[in-house]
Short mmCIF file of all heavy atoms in Angstrom, two decimals:
data_model
loop_
_atom_site.label_atom_id
_atom_site.label_comp_id
_atom_site.label_asym_id
_atom_site.label_seq_id
_atom_site.Cartn_x
_atom_site.Cartn_y
_atom_site.Cartn_z
N VAL A 35 7.41 -2.43 -3.75
CA VAL A 35 7.75 -2.82 -2.41
C VAL A 35 9.07 -3.59 -2.48
O VAL A 35 9.16 -4.59 -3.22
CB VAL A 35 6.67 -3.63 -1.76
CG1 VAL A 35 7.02 -4.20 -0.42
CG2 VAL A 35 5.37 -2.84 -1.65
N GLU A 78 -0.72 3.14 -4.93
CA GLU A 78 -1.28 2.62 -3.77
C GLU A 78 -0.69 3.36 -2.56
O GLU A 78 0.47 3.56 -2.49
CB GLU A 78 -1.04 1.18 -3.68
CG GLU A 78 -1.69 0.39 -4.79
CD GLU A 78 -1.38 -1.11 -4.67
OE1 GLU A 78 -0.98 -1.63 -3.64
OE2 GLU A 78 -1.48 -1.78 -5.70
N PRO A 79 -1.53 3.84 -1.56
CA PRO A 79 -1.04 4.47 -0.39
C PRO A 79 0.11 3.73 0.36
O PRO A 79 0.12 2.45 0.38
CB PRO A 79 -2.22 4.64 0.50
CG PRO A 79 -3.41 4.58 -0.45
CD PRO A 79 -3.00 3.57 -1.54
N LEU A 80 1.05 4.47 0.86
CA LEU A 80 2.14 3.81 1.57
C LEU A 80 1.67 3.26 2.88
O LEU A 80 0.76 3.80 3.54
CB LEU A 80 3.30 4.81 1.86
CG LEU A 80 3.80 5.56 0.64
CD1 LEU A 80 4.96 6.44 1.06
CD2 LEU A 80 4.34 4.55 -0.46
N THR A 81 2.26 2.19 3.36
CA THR A 81 1.88 1.63 4.65
C THR A 81 3.10 1.58 5.48
O THR A 81 4.24 1.59 5.03
CB THR A 81 1.42 0.11 4.40
OG1 THR A 81 2.40 -0.68 3.81
CG2 THR A 81 0.18 0.04 3.63
N ALA A 82 2.88 1.55 6.81
CA ALA A 82 3.97 1.60 7.85
C ALA A 82 4.78 0.33 7.74
O ALA A 82 4.34 -0.71 7.34
CB ALA A 82 3.39 1.77 9.17
N LYS A 83 6.13 0.46 8.12
CA LYS A 83 7.00 -0.67 8.21
C LYS A 83 7.24 -1.37 6.87
O LYS A 83 7.55 -2.53 6.84
CB LYS A 83 6.52 -1.68 9.30
CG LYS A 83 6.50 -0.94 10.64
CD LYS A 83 6.08 -1.99 11.71
CE LYS A 83 5.96 -1.30 12.97
NZ LYS A 83 5.45 -2.07 14.07
N THR A 84 7.01 -0.72 5.74
CA THR A 84 7.26 -1.28 4.45
C THR A 84 8.31 -0.38 3.76
O THR A 84 8.26 0.88 3.88
CB THR A 84 6.04 -1.21 3.59
OG1 THR A 84 4.98 -1.99 4.29
CG2 THR A 84 6.19 -1.81 2.19
N THR A 85 9.30 -1.05 3.09
CA THR A 85 10.37 -0.28 2.43
C THR A 85 9.90 -0.26 0.87
O THR A 85 9.61 -1.31 0.29
CB THR A 85 11.76 -0.91 2.50
OG1 THR A 85 12.06 -0.91 3.93
CG2 THR A 85 12.77 -0.14 1.76
N TYR A 86 9.89 0.88 0.36
CA TYR A 86 9.65 1.19 -1.13
C TYR A 86 10.86 1.53 -1.81
O TYR A 86 11.78 2.09 -1.29
CB TYR A 86 8.55 2.27 -1.20
CG TYR A 86 7.26 1.89 -0.48
CD1 TYR A 86 7.06 2.27 0.83
CD2 TYR A 86 6.30 1.21 -1.22
CE1 TYR A 86 5.84 1.91 1.47
CE2 TYR A 86 5.08 0.88 -0.54
CZ TYR A 86 4.94 1.22 0.78
OH TYR A 86 3.74 0.83 1.37
N PHE A 104 12.93 4.00 0.63
CA PHE A 104 12.39 4.85 1.63
C PHE A 104 11.20 4.14 2.29
O PHE A 104 10.59 3.16 1.72
CB PHE A 104 11.95 6.20 1.14
CG PHE A 104 10.75 6.16 0.06
CD1 PHE A 104 9.45 6.39 0.56
CD2 PHE A 104 11.03 5.92 -1.21
CE1 PHE A 104 8.40 6.34 -0.37
CE2 PHE A 104 9.93 5.92 -2.14
CZ PHE A 104 8.64 6.04 -1.69
N THR A 105 10.83 4.62 3.47
CA THR A 105 9.69 4.02 4.19
C THR A 105 8.67 5.25 4.38
O THR A 105 9.07 6.45 4.08
CB THR A 105 10.01 3.57 5.58
OG1 THR A 105 10.59 4.66 6.30
CG2 THR A 105 11.11 2.43 5.52
N ALA A 106 7.47 5.04 4.86
CA ALA A 106 6.60 6.08 5.14
C ALA A 106 7.07 7.02 6.20
O ALA A 106 6.96 8.22 6.08
CB ALA A 106 5.26 5.46 5.70
N THR A 107 7.88 6.49 7.09
CA THR A 107 8.59 7.41 8.12
C THR A 107 9.56 8.28 7.45
O THR A 107 9.68 9.50 7.80
CB THR A 107 9.22 6.51 9.24
OG1 THR A 107 8.24 5.71 9.81
CG2 THR A 107 9.95 7.43 10.23
N ARG A 109 9.47 9.36 4.34
CA ARG A 109 8.59 10.33 3.71
C ARG A 109 8.16 11.47 4.67
O ARG A 109 8.22 12.68 4.33
CB ARG A 109 7.38 9.68 2.96
CG ARG A 109 6.51 10.59 2.23
CD ARG A 109 5.10 10.70 2.37
NE ARG A 109 4.55 10.24 3.61
CZ ARG A 109 3.58 9.39 3.72
NH1 ARG A 109 2.97 8.93 2.68
NH2 ARG A 109 3.14 8.91 4.91
#
Side-chain angles (χ1 to χ4, degrees):
V35 174
E78 296 177 19
L80 304 182
T81 58
K83 299 181 182 176
T84 301
T85 300
Y86 298 91
F104 66 97
T105 64
T107 300
R109 184 230 21 227

